Amino acid sequence: MLMQTDTQKDTDLSPVLELDGVTKTFPGVKALDGVTLRLYPGQVTALVGENGAGKSTVVKIMTGIYQPDGGDIRVDGEAIRFPTAQDAARAGITAIHQETVLFDELSVAENIFLGHAPRTRLGLIDWATMNAKATEILRGIGAEIDPHHKLHDLGIANKHLVAIARALSIDARVVIMDEPTAALSHKEIEELYELVEKLKAQGKAILFISHKFDEIFRIADRYTVFRDGQFVGDGSIAEVEESDLVKMMVGRDVAQIFPTRTSQIGDEVLQVVGYEHPTEFADIGFTLRQGEILGFYGLVGAGRSEFMQSLFGITKPSKGVVKIDGQVRVIRSPADAVENGIVYVPEDRGKQGAITALPIFQNVTLPSLKRTSKNGFIRLAEEFALAREYTQRLDLRAASLDTHVGNLSGGNQQKVVIAKWLATQPKVIILDEPTKGIDIGSKAAVHEFMAELAAQGLAVIMVSSEIPEVLGMSDRVIVMREGRMVTEVSGDDLTPETLVRHAAGI
Amino acid sequence: MLRLLASREALLLGAIAVLLALIATRFPAFVAPSNLAGVFNDTAPLILLAIGQMIVILTKCIDLSVAANLALTGMVVAMINVAAPGVPVVVILAVAIGLGTLLGMVNGILVWKLDIPPIVVTLGTMTIFRGIIFLLSEGSWVNSHEMSPAFKAFPRAEILGQPVLSWIAVLAVILFAVVMTRTSLGRAFYAVGGNPHAATYTGIDVGKTQFWAFTISGALAGLTGYLWVSRYAVAYVDIASGFELDVVAACVIGGISIAGGIGTVGGALLGAIFLGVIKNALPVVNISPFWQLAISGSAIIIAVAVNARASRSKGRIILKTAEHAA
Amino acid sequence: MTTTTDASTGRHIPDRLRSPLEARLKSWESLLLLVAIAIFIANSLASPYFLNAWNLSDATFNFTEKAMIGFAMALLIISGEIDLSVASIIALASTAMGAAVQFGVGTPGLVLIGLGTGLICGAFNGVLVTRMGLPSIVVTIGSMSLFRGISYIVLGDQAYGGYPSSFAFFGQGYVWWVISFEFALFAVLAVIYGVLLHKTNFGRAVYAIGNNATGAMFSGIRVERVKFTLFLLTGLMSGLAAICLTSRLGSTRPSIGFGWELEIVTMVVLGGVSILGGSGTIPGVVIAAFVMGLVTFGLGLLNVPGIVMSIVIGALLIGVIALPRLWAKWRA
């Protein structure tokens, strides 16, 4: 294992914020075990680690949401505590979160100034000054947003800008960006990079949390690696290779290898003709055969998930025909879709994929209850048998089948969702960003399993925004842009350049 | 959305105007200014409670104990008046507001510190408060002749030709309009109901904010308790029984979202006035007062259906053509 | 490949770690049963009239009608919805039956009218909630006023009476010795609802919806259909309770069953059903029904007036939820 200690040689500055030996324990889990993290003014530090490494916990400690059980937090070398989020904000620490945690029903200006709004002499909130200041800050980051608008009228990229404006409004010295690019398009990501450069130039210390290595090497000056709640190493980005970081993250050598597969393409299973929705997508048509993996590539917000959810019966298309095994089928609800052999593994596991407060076996059998029951009466033995069969096929790791899904890691939750659908013996399985937010080990297992499913004759649709994954897994790829199907590529045309070009419309 | 909210209140104002116009075609006396002032005075207790309830609902809670709180404080001040007729009204007012606040705090503490769902807490305190009234009064009434003249006169005393009861409602509307739009606590109520998760990240303590919402609701209920008992000059266990539902109804009609985070003092005011106009108009237009319950029930259902329709999300706009069309 | 385990040979996962029996012993229901037993003992010590078969039988009338609705309400609350209009459905169904009596409708017809009115009211709530997507708490606060309001429009300050003598059986008849028809009905319904919730696919869907309605829909559960059925059932049970109550009282006033919705919700929550949805059991509701009935009856024997009992019920409601939380806080 590679263990690097901090080297001060790349910077003569002293850290603005320093976490030293910070520990945090939750019932049954040691989320942080004596971690060290240093943030320097005018530098971007990338925090790297797999899911469950303790990144979100550390953010919550730095922003006063959680209190550490042990260790020191130092600002400018002086030990400090943040009993509330307001105290952390007062110390100049602010965070822009994965999902923009802002207020949809409040105005843009108020989202920026909530908690530290300008006051009149009477001590009342001064709306006029607030709106003026908001306009000023937004202009400063090149955002033309009317501060009077309610936040929910804004697109996701603009919401991010409001979050950044908020960070600037409290005159932050430390800005934490927790996967800020996860929901942004390429263009928006570029704009974000420019902003990060601006913040750097202003001398702010930035903590940048990301799963994407290209991003880290593009934007960061330093890195810190956590693994299983422990500090593994830190140093200058210029002195490290991507493979070293990965090795530090997982504690072993991992190359992203996709399973080699020889496609056994069979009969046509699914045909979609002229699928259309009033606002989300239009002109979508394709066919899918047994044993095939069809990739759907596009920028975030290109309408891929929206189309898939429509195919699965969540939203109603305004036009279009679905044929399964050559027969026209009407799909008005997910229940109809499942009955017709179409199943969908959604991107949002916690809300849509699994019912986290129910045990594993109940999640797995939920859509298959008709088979495990008799005349509508539950038969537990059959349920456990079915759940055992499919969770074993997916190599699920859990204490028991009675364990609540919410207690599993992201990767294992995903396995439960996939097991649930395989138990229905579907014809077509749609996987929407199947490896998003799961650790590298589980990722490989999911890829392996997808290949196995296709080999067994299942027709697979995979929505993915990761080019290596799309290229590594798909037989054919459909590219979508702004709600429309732009092209279908296969064979030798399947190159990163083609995909990016069509997705961006260049 | 700002425009939509404004139009939601405008819609309600329009509905009230149409209602008044319809009544005026056959009973013009009803819309005479003096009569309308009377209707407002009649509706004042509902307005006071609706403002408190609105704040509670904004924070994703509900307070079903307001009417019981009103009845308990009303009984306590009535009994104080009987026992010591010399106690000045100012003290009585202070006791009413203080006791109401205390009762509200009990709800707030249970929600904040023990994390018990508000509907459960206030369902429980509602029955407990009513029971305490019985224990205190032993089931007997405090009647008009037992109350001191000063005690009874306060809400009826006229300032600028209008009774004090009306002025209190007006003052409360103005005060809380300022509190809700211009103070940190006011904005915190919106933040907590709109996105509790984000509120925590902003440094707002969700439970504590809910506690304050219940406290305000309790204070207003206590104040109304004295006004109610002195105006109707009677106190007994069952006064204002079921009134909590009228209060919730006024809020729903006023466009306050039961999911939290959306609503204004103006909305609560208009919702209460809408119900007040109906209640006062029924006898005038010769409809049996027995119709009132069914009408306010229908009004709640229609209001919530209209509000839901207005705020229904249209889904994401991805297609360029759709964007231009929209 | 560098994954540590070969995907084809999944490791064995045990079905359960804790035995179902152990889980049951540590449950809310066991705690509540202890409370019920304690109240039973306290009552027998406090009053010499308590341990009398006929007195106990009389006591069951305190809860049988409410519990009938409570069973359906439990399912509805577990699914994440609520129906506050149940007591008003009783009033409307009773008014409909009373009106029918004036036209000479016989007992079978009255039963059909009572149940039918309940179903129609349940369907009304169900359509508004599932078809139009409105919040059930607001919808049913509205329909609560509307349904009882219709009774007031029809009856005003009058009352309906003159029910046929055969109609009296539902609320006053006995099937065997001290076992009243109502109690027998309560027992049968307890079993039916227990099986429905705990032993059928429908019950499993109710739990899934209550825990995560979106997730349930994405798992192919017809969420709205299940919820609509639950509103229908709640309406039907309210109609049934209306038949029993009207039969017991022998007359209909528009104020019949006033305030029952809150007592029923209290019973359900006391029984361990989470007001936030997703968890709860029928045995819990059954025990809660007995607890509330025993408290009311015991205090009644001691000549404590009804309103004071409501203090006890209210305190019980908050206490049983607050105490475990206080205990957990104190230990932490």
Side-chain angles (χ1 to χ4, degrees):
Chain A
M1 192 175 79
L2 201 90
M3 181 83 176
Q4 268 178 276
T5 47
D6 178 49
T7 47
Q8 281 274 352
K9 65 176 180 258
D10 53 314
T11 169
D12 297 325
L13 299 161
S14 53
V16 187
L17 180 71
E18 189 177 9
L19 265 61
D20 191 7
V22 165
T23 304
K24 177 76 188 172
T25 313
F26 295 108
V29 202
K30 199 154 201 179
L32 290 177
D33 189 2
V35 297
T36 302
L37 178 64
R38 295 185 187 89
L39 303 179
Y40 298 91
Q43 299 218 352
V44 177
T45 304
L47 179 58
V48 196
E50 290 194 273
N51 281 44
K55 290 170 298 178
S56 352
T57 313
V58 97
V59 171
K60 285 182 177 157
I61 284 179
M62 285 192 284
T63 48
I65 306 289
Y66 290 162
Q67 298 305 311
D69 301 329
D72 286 326
I73 306 172
R74 282 191 284 269
V75 172
D76 294 330
E78 293 202 22
I80 194 167
R81 294 207 144 261
F82 304 133
T84 71
Q86 215 117 47
D87 295 295
R90 237 172 262 136
I93 299 164
T94 185
I96 298 157
H97 293 275
Q98 270 174 26
E99 298 116 37
T100 46
V101 276
L102 292 169
F103 305 93
D104 268 342
E105 288 298 330
L106 301 183
S107 76
V108 168
E110 192 166 15
N111 267 290
I112 296 174
F113 283 104
L114 192 75
H116 54 277
R119 303 303 175 105
T120 62
R121 258 177 302 168
L122 289 170
L124 297 175
I125 292 170
D126 185 347
W127 285 90
T129 311
M130 188 159 99
N131 285 323
K133 277 193 174 176
T135 313
E136 194 182 305
I137 296 175
L138 287 168
R139 282 231 181 93
I141 56 173
E144 287 295 326
I145 304 171
D146 183 344
H148 298 87
H149 274 305
K150 292 243 163 169
L151 192 77
H152 68 62
D153 293 341
L154 268 50
I156 186 101
N158 276 343
K159 284 184 183 177
H160 264 280
L161 290 175
V162 173
I164 291 166
R166 176 172 177 82
L168 297 177
S169 76
I170 66 167
D171 201 18
R173 300 175 61 205
V174 176
V175 180
I176 300 163
M177 295 182 156
D178 193 353
E179 297 204 42
T181 60
L184 300 186
S185 69
H186 277 301
K187 184 167 157 280
E188 289 158 354
I189 290 174
E190 285 303 323
E191 284 166 4
L192 182 84
Y193 288 160
E194 282 173 31
L195 229 132
V196 171
E197 291 298 337
K198 251 187 227 177
L199 295 177
K200 266 175 74 171
Q202 291 172 16
K204 298 190 191 306
I206 294 159
L207 180 67
F208 196 89
I209 300 176
S210 175
H211 278 111
K212 301 178 189 164
F213 283 107
D214 53 337
E215 242 168 56
I216 293 166
F217 282 91
R218 160 88 191 263
I219 199 87
D221 303 296
R222 301 179 51 79
Y223 67 88
T224 297
V225 184
F226 284 3
R227 186 173 68 233
D228 299 330
Q230 289 180 324
F231 171 82
V232 182
D234 63 4
S236 165
I237 279 285
E239 296 163 13
V240 74
E241 294 286 323
E242 188 173 317
S243 58
D244 299 333
L245 280 186
V246 174
K247 217 181 284 175
M248 289 165 85
M249 272 169 68
V250 258
R252 58 173 190 268
D253 281 307
V254 173
Q256 203 174 16
I257 298 172
F258 291 96
T260 43
R261 35 188 295 266
T262 39
S263 309
Q264 299 269 331
I265 311 270
D267 296 337
E268 186 179 303
V269 193
L270 175 73
Q271 188 185 1
V272 175
V273 187
Y275 239 57
E276 243 179 88
H277 182 275
T279 61
E280 294 177 344
F281 51 83
D283 306 327
I284 296 178
F286 61 89
T287 57
L288 181 66
R289 293 168 174 276
Q290 285 179 345
E292 198 178 21
I293 298 182
L294 174 62
F296 266 75
Y297 180 74
L299 302 179
V300 170
R304 292 168 300 164
S305 298
E306 286 77 4
F307 163 67
M308 295 305 161
Q309 296 197 356
S310 185
L311 193 56
F312 187 55
I314 306 276
T315 48
K316 224 173 83 184
S318 50
K319 250 195 235 169
V321 178
V322 177
K323 285 187 191 169
I324 293 159
D325 294 334
Q327 307 273 316
V328 174
R329 302 285 175 177
V330 181
I331 295 172
R332 287 205 189 84
S333 67
D336 289 345
V338 177
E339 269 164 31
N340 283 300
I342 300 180
V343 300
Y344 174 69
V345 178
E347 183 182 347
D348 187 344
R349 259 190 309 276
K351 271 196 204 129
Q352 301 171 342
I355 298 174
T356 50
L358 289 183
I360 294 170
F361 81 93
Q362 291 190 11
N363 267 278
V364 173
T365 57
L366 195 56
S368 310
L369 281 175
K370 273 190 192 137
R371 277 198 297 132
T372 59
S373 63
K374 197 174 179 185
N375 304 323
F377 290 96
I378 278 169
R379 290 186 300 178
L380 275 181
E382 313 280 322
E383 276 194 59
F384 276 114
L386 189 75
R388 205 178 307 124
E389 180 187 341
Y390 283 93
T391 49
Q392 275 184 16
R393 270 186 70 185
L394 276 143
D395 190 29
L396 181 82
R397 313 290 169 84
S400 81
L401 291 177
D402 204 25
T403 307
H404 286 189
V405 172
N407 295 336
L408 303 178
S409 69
N412 279 313
Q413 288 188 9
Q414 187 72 305
K415 288 177 185 173
V416 171
V417 178
I418 297 175
K420 167 177 88 178
W421 287 130
L422 293 183
T424 66
Q425 298 165 339
K427 294 180 179 136
V428 178
I429 185 165
I430 306 167
L431 298 137
D432 197 343
E433 305 282 2
T435 61
K436 188 182 157 189
I438 67 179
D439 58 79
I440 290 179
S442 299
K443 227 172 179 169
V446 170
H447 288 149
E448 181 99 345
F449 197 72
M450 269 167 75
E452 200 186 310
L453 291 180
Q456 287 166 10
L458 201 67
V460 180
I461 296 178
M462 179 188 68
V463 176
S464 173
S465 304
E466 281 186 46
I467 288 186
E469 186 172 73
V470 174
L471 294 175
M473 295 304 302
S474 317
D475 297 302
R476 266 188 305 146
V477 176
I478 287 175
V479 181
M480 281 183 71
R481 187 177 74 234
E482 286 163 359
R484 285 166 205 278
M485 227 177 103
V486 194
T487 184
E488 190 182 309
V489 269
S490 57
D492 292 339
D493 295 338
L494 267 178
T495 62
E497 292 73 34
T498 348
L499 295 186
V500 171
R501 220 160 15 86
H502 282 110
I506 319 166
Chain B
M1 192 61 206
L2 204 68
R3 271 170 289 143
L4 196 99
L5 265 184
S7 78
R8 185 179 290 170
E9 274 133 31
L11 197 72
L12 187 52
L13 199 60
I16 295 172
V18 168
L19 191 63
L20 286 175
L22 280 177
I23 301 165
T25 53
R26 291 185 56 201
F27 305 93
F30 188 81
V31 294
S34 66
N35 190 60
L36 289 182
V39 171
F40 182 83
N41 194 47
D42 246 16
T43 314
L46 184 58
I47 293 172
L48 291 172
L49 296 183
I51 292 171
Q53 188 72 254
M54 177 208 75
I55 299 174
V56 173
I57 293 178
L58 270 186
T59 66
K60 275 186 189 302
C61 295
I62 193 159
D63 187 352
L64 295 178
S65 74
V66 279
N69 181 335
L70 175 162
L72 177 52
T73 8
M75 175 58 81
V76 167
V77 292
M79 289 174 73
I80 291 175
N81 182 247
V82 171
V87 173
V89 169
V90 184
V91 177
I92 293 283
L93 270 174
V95 169
I97 295 173
L99 180 60
T101 307
L102 212 63
L103 298 177
M105 283 177 162
V106 170
N107 289 327
I109 287 277
L110 289 168
V111 170
W112 176 23
K113 289 296 179 190
L114 292 181
D115 222 9
I116 307 177
I119 187 168
V120 174
V121 167
T122 56
L123 210 53
T125 52
M126 172 173 106
T127 52
I128 294 173
F129 294 166
R130 290 269 179 206
I132 294 174
I133 307 174
F134 184 88
L135 289 183
L136 289 176
S137 65
E138 289 166 340
S140 60
W141 293 36
V142 177
N143 287 309
S144 176
H145 64 86
E146 297 169 83
M147 297 175 185
S148 74
F151 183 87
K152 285 181 286 186
F154 178 72
R156 297 155 211 257
E158 292 199 351
I159 299 173
L160 298 175
Q162 295 303 321
V164 165
L165 179 59
S166 291
W167 285 116
I168 290 180
V170 169
L171 280 180
V173 167
I174 294 170
L175 173 70
F176 281 99
V178 173
V179 168
M180 297 311 286
T181 55
R182 305 289 297 266
T183 68
S184 317
L185 183 64
R187 301 318 293 171
F189 291 134
Y190 286 95
V192 160
N195 188 347
H197 183 58
T200 310
Y201 277 91
T202 317
I204 297 170
D205 188 327
V206 174
K208 200 179 185 177
T209 309
Q210 289 170 335
F211 166 80
W212 285 116
F214 278 107
T215 305
I216 291 174
S217 171
L220 284 166
L223 171 66
T224 314
Y226 162 61
L227 297 173
W228 186 293
V229 164
S230 56
R231 175 157 194 259
Y232 296 106
V234 66
Y236 55 96
V237 172
D238 283 331
I239 60 165
S241 173
F243 201 60
E244 62 277 346
L245 296 175
D246 284 11
V247 176
V248 173
C251 289
V252 171
I253 294 170
I256 288 119
S257 163
I258 208 83
I262 305 174
T264 61
V265 173
L269 170 71
L270 290 174
I273 289 180
F274 184 82
L275 285 180
V277 168
I278 287 179
K279 186 179 163 199
N280 282 276
L282 288 180
V284 176
V285 297
N286 261 329
I287 295 175
S288 143
F290 291 117
W291 278 77
Q292 193 204 321
L293 199 58
I295 291 177
S296 61
S298 312
I300 295 175
I301 293 172
I302 292 167
V304 70
V306 169
N307 287 343
R309 202 149 280 258
S311 61
R312 187 147 301 169
S313 64
K314 283 166 291 194
R316 290 178 76 167
I317 297 175
I318 294 170
L319 290 168
K320 276 273 180 301
T321 46
E323 197 167 15
H324 294 310
Chain C
M1 264 315 293
T2 48
T3 41
T4 47
T5 321
D6 190 52
S8 56
T9 61
R11 55 185 66 187
H12 179 76
I13 303 172
D15 287 352
R16 287 192 166 103
L17 291 181
R18 244 173 24 152
S19 74
L21 183 70
E22 187 191 344
R24 209 161 287 170
L25 280 177
K26 287 182 180 169
S27 68
W28 177 257
E29 289 76 15
S30 316
L31 180 72
L32 201 60
L33 193 61
L34 286 180
V35 172
I37 292 169
I39 296 174
F40 191 87
I41 293 171
N43 277 340
S44 8
L45 295 177
S47 167
Y49 306 105
F50 182 76
L51 283 177
N52 169 304
W54 283 102
N55 281 345
L56 284 174
S57 167
D58 277 352
T60 60
F61 288 101
N62 283 324
F63 63 82
T64 43
E65 290 141 6
K66 289 168 198 156
M68 290 171 200
I69 303 175
F71 296 143
M73 182 79 89
L75 267 63
L76 195 59
I77 293 182
I78 291 171
S79 83
E81 303 291 345
I82 196 165
D83 185 350
L84 294 177
S85 72
V86 284
S88 299
I89 298 178
I90 292 181
L92 190 55
S94 184
T95 305
M97 289 187 289
V101 165
Q102 314 309 312
F103 292 100
V105 176
T107 299
L110 293 181
V111 170
L112 283 181
I113 288 170
L115 296 179
T117 309
L119 274 179
I120 291 169
C121 292
F124 178 83
N125 289 329
V127 164
L128 286 170
V129 172
T130 62
R131 286 281 139 207
M132 298 186 60
L134 306 178
S136 58
I137 185 161
V138 183
V139 165
T140 59
I141 282 178
S143 57
M144 169 182 175
S145 302
L146 178 61
F147 297 156
R148 195 177 289 279
I150 296 172
S151 291
Y152 270 105
I153 292 171
V154 173
L155 274 169
D157 48 10
Q158 304 295 305
Y160 279 136
Y163 286 93
S165 53
S166 59
F167 187 72
F169 176 74
F170 302 111
Q172 299 169 26
Y174 289 81
V175 287
W176 178 71
W177 190 41
V178 296
I179 306 296
S180 66
F181 171 77
E182 280 200 14
F183 188 77
L185 188 60
F186 158 81
V188 170
L189 286 171
V191 173
I192 291 175
Y193 275 93
V195 169
L196 181 66
L197 180 61
H198 302 296
K199 301 284 176 203
T200 69
N201 294 348
F202 182 81
R204 185 62 68 72
V206 169
Y207 281 113
I209 292 168
N211 276 301
N212 179 351
T214 312
M217 181 188 63
F218 271 79
S219 298
I221 303 279
R222 298 185 191 273
V223 174
E224 299 192 338
R225 195 180 288 178
V226 171
K227 284 188 175 175
F228 185 76
T229 310
L230 291 177
F231 276 105
L232 277 187
L233 278 181
T234 310
L236 184 68
M237 287 302 112
S238 307
L240 188 61
I243 293 169
C244 292
L245 181 61
T246 309
S247 156
R248 187 154 66 87
L249 301 176
S251 70
T252 298
R253 288 184 184 281
S255 62
I256 186 170
F258 184 81
W260 275 27
E261 62 281 337
L262 298 181
E263 283 183 55
I264 291 165
V265 172
T266 302
M267 182 187 288
V268 170
V269 172
L270 190 62
V273 173
S274 162
I275 197 86
L276 306 172
S279 69
T281 67
I282 292 297
V285 178
V286 171
I287 302 171
F290 275 104
V291 167
M292 287 176 68
L294 286 171
V295 169
T296 314
F297 179 56
L299 293 175
L301 283 178
L302 298 174
N303 284 324
V304 176
I307 183 113
V308 179
M309 295 176 204
S310 70
I311 301 191
V312 179
I313 300 290
L316 215 51
L317 174 66
I318 294 180
V320 288
I321 296 177
L323 285 177
R325 292 176 192 223
L326 272 174
W327 173 246
K329 275 204 163 197
W330 182 77
R331 279 186 23 169

